[in-house]
């Protein structure tokens, strides 16, 4: 299941790009073809549902400041927001997988959760392999796989 921000992404579809352009135009309060720092904050709230921190805004605006531009142009906005949405989609996907494993909604996984999930997906996988996988993911060896443990292993490529 894709996140709700997917509607704004280009993903090779013209309609998605038009949505990013629409957000840009709506947030360009000066109607000058650039987003000011405050305009960019509004765009992030519109697209992701949260107000970016000062540090995040500084990072997003860094290239604008380096080039001494009056604000963020559309092409740079589209590039940054496309990358941000891709990262958000990956996070959402990992969170959904973790939630599917965490059937008891405890916020961590036990070896039994692992066995159940692997039995559903790969019923012929030897139990020893599942136990080894659990030990590999349980980085702090507390017999629980936290989301942080899970995210680390899932992000490892």
């Amino acid at each position: 299941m894709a996140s709700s921000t997917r509607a704004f992404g280009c993903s090779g579809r013209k309609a998605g790009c038009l949505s990013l352009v629409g957000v840009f135009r709506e947030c360009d309060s000066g109607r000058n073809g650039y987003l000011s720092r405050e305009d960019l904050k509004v765009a992030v709230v519109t697209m992701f549902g949260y107000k970016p921190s000062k540090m995040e805004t500084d990072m997003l605006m860094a290239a604008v400041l380096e080039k001494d531009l009056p604000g963020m142009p559309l092409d740079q906005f589209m590039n940054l927001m496309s990358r941000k949405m891709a990262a958000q989609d990956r996070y959402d996907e990992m969170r959904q997988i973790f939630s599917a494993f965490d059937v008891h909604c405890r916020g961590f996984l036990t070896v039994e959760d692992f066995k159940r999930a692997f039995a559903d997906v790969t019923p012929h996988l030897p139990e020893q392999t599942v136990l080894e996988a659990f030990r590999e993911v349980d980085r702090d060896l507390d017999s629980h796989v936290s989301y942080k443990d899970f995210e680390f292993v899932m992000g490892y490529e």
Side-chain angles (χ1 to χ4, degrees), residues 1 6 9-10 21 25 27-28 31 40-42 49 56 60 67 76 82-83 88 91 105 112 118 120 135 137 151:
M1 175 182 254
R6 174 65 76 193
C10 288
V21 171
R25 288 189 177 144
C27 296
D28 179 9
R31 303 288 181 248
L40 181 61
K41 289 180 188 178
V42 173
E56 182 179 0
L60 292 171
K67 295 177 184 175
Q76 188 173 357
S82 293
R83 287 187 299 170
Q88 184 68 36
Y91 172 80
C105 299
E112 295 305 317
F118 277 92
D120 289 345
R135 283 194 294 272
V137 177
E151 181 180 39

Side-chain angles (χ1 to χ4, degrees), residues 42-96:
V42 173
V44 171
V45 169
T46 299
M47 294 178 63
F48 299 100
Y50 74 93
K51 182 180 176 187
S53 68
K54 180 181 181 330
M55 183 171 30
E56 182 179 0
T57 306
D58 288 345
M59 288 173 39
L60 292 171
M61 294 295 288
V64 169
L65 297 173
E66 286 175 14
K67 295 177 184 175
D68 200 31
L69 297 172
M72 183 176 290
L74 176 61
D75 61 336
Q76 188 173 357
F77 173 77
M78 290 179 68
N79 184 333
L80 285 171
M81 293 303 112
S82 293
R83 287 187 299 170
K84 189 167 178 52
M85 287 185 299
Q88 184 68 36
D89 286 347
R90 176 79 174 131
Y91 172 80
D92 289 346
E93 181 182 12
M94 277 195 281
R95 181 56 78 180
Q96 288 174 356

Side-chain angles (χ1 to χ4, degrees), residues 101 115-125:
F101 276 54
K115 287 178 185 177
R116 184 175 23 265
F118 277 92
D120 289 345
V121 177
T122 56
H124 302 295
L125 191 67

